Amino acid sequence: MHIVIMGCGRVGSTLAHILEDNGHSVAIIDRDPQAFRRLRAGFRGRRVTGVGFDRDVLQEAGIETAGAYVAVSSGDNSNIISARVARETFGVDNVVARIYDSRRAEVYQRLGIPTVATVRWTADQILRRILPEGAEPLWRDPTGTVVLAEVATNPAWVGTKVTDLEEAAGVRVAYVNRMGEALVTKNDTVVQEGDILHVIAAENDMDRVNKVFTAAPEESH
């Protein structure tokens, strides 16, 4: 897939490298040509100087054949305008805009433009939206405060009830992936070898949740 990115800052350049490493073609737009210095020497994608809401710039970046458009410049207005141009003028359905003001993000969500609003999870959330088959984390709410995440589990928990894990970690296990099938947990669900547990929790609690899940049961109390 060809992907166009507006903004060659830390997030934009990181996304460009990850996407290229995964076999996608990438074009990255920035109004400051010096910003392209963040790209590694071997970057094979297009570097386009300009603003992402300029039609000629977008066409130079290959927007007409793009499968996704990502707006991660430093300006909320530029991001949302360029995202709307990509979708409404060039028909790119898979569009994501970074919005620094989380309150405004909700407004833009209602316009049908998926937005991400905090620095810590911007790159992961964008990857999840445009590469849903493999990117992490699985889901975050628009404010970035609640996360659905796959959590590694110590083998010592095998044979214990999922509710024991929940009580120890103070978290809700949303579902278990067992042999490729998603199972909603019940009070009597027991952790089996090979289970992949997915939890729903506050972002700020994830470090503690990870520590509990990766520790043996007697170590987690």
Side-chain angles (χ1 to χ4, degrees):
M1 171 164 57
H2 180 59
I3 298 163
V4 178
I5 300 171
M6 183 184 79
C8 194
R10 287 181 297 174
V11 173
S13 59
T14 298
L15 284 170
H17 294 152
I18 294 172
L19 290 166
E20 187 173 76
D21 288 343
N22 279 278
H24 302 282
S25 66
V26 180
I28 190 160
I29 301 168
D30 202 289
R31 67 175 66 200
D32 180 7
Q34 299 300 314
F36 299 127
R37 292 182 176 180
R38 291 188 176 91
L39 298 170
R40 61 193 175 198
F43 179 70
R44 299 184 301 277
R46 305 180 204 173
R47 300 168 175 83
V48 181
T49 302
V51 293
F53 46 82
D54 184 296
R55 296 185 184 186
D56 292 337
V57 170
L58 286 170
Q59 288 175 322
E60 184 179 349
I63 193 68
E64 292 169 322
T65 60
Y69 179 80
V70 179
V72 287
S73 75
S74 59
D76 283 5
N77 290 336
S78 296
N79 288 341
I80 200 64
I81 292 171
S82 67
R84 294 189 69 177
V85 170
R87 170 170 285 181
E88 297 168 12
T89 301
F90 294 99
V92 181
D93 291 328
N94 207 352
V95 171
V96 184
R98 178 182 184 178
I99 304 297
Y100 287 83
D101 186 340
S102 59
R103 294 169 298 180
R104 297 171 68 187
E106 295 183 13
V107 176
Y108 294 128
Q109 291 271 42
R110 297 191 192 106
L111 295 176
I113 302 293
T115 60
V116 290
T118 61
V119 174
R120 182 171 178 177
W121 59 276
T122 295
D124 284 339
Q125 175 71 349
I126 288 172
L127 286 169
R128 182 62 191 170
R129 288 185 183 276
I130 64 178
L131 303 175
E133 68 278 10
E136 294 293 342
L138 300 178
W139 176 85
R140 294 178 193 263
D141 80 297
T143 66
T145 57
V146 178
V147 60
L148 172 67
E150 176 183 317
V151 182
T153 309
N154 191 307
W157 286 101
V158 171
T160 64
K161 290 185 177 181
V162 171
T163 51
D164 293 337
L165 254 174
E166 291 179 326
E167 182 178 355
V171 72
R172 178 76 172 94
V173 175
Y175 68 96
V176 175
N177 187 308
R178 180 171 294 169
M179 298 182 67
E181 294 188 4
L183 304 175
V184 176
T185 61
K186 301 178 181 179
N187 289 337
D188 60 351
T189 301
V190 174
V191 179
Q192 296 184 11
E193 185 175 357
D195 280 356
I196 302 173
L197 275 62
H198 298 81
V199 305
I200 188 83
E203 167 68 23
N204 294 337
D205 290 338
M206 284 308 302
D207 287 343
R208 176 180 56 78
V209 171
N210 279 312
K211 289 179 181 178
V212 173
F213 274 59
T214 55
E218 62 274 11
E219 298 172 359
S220 63
H221 296 291

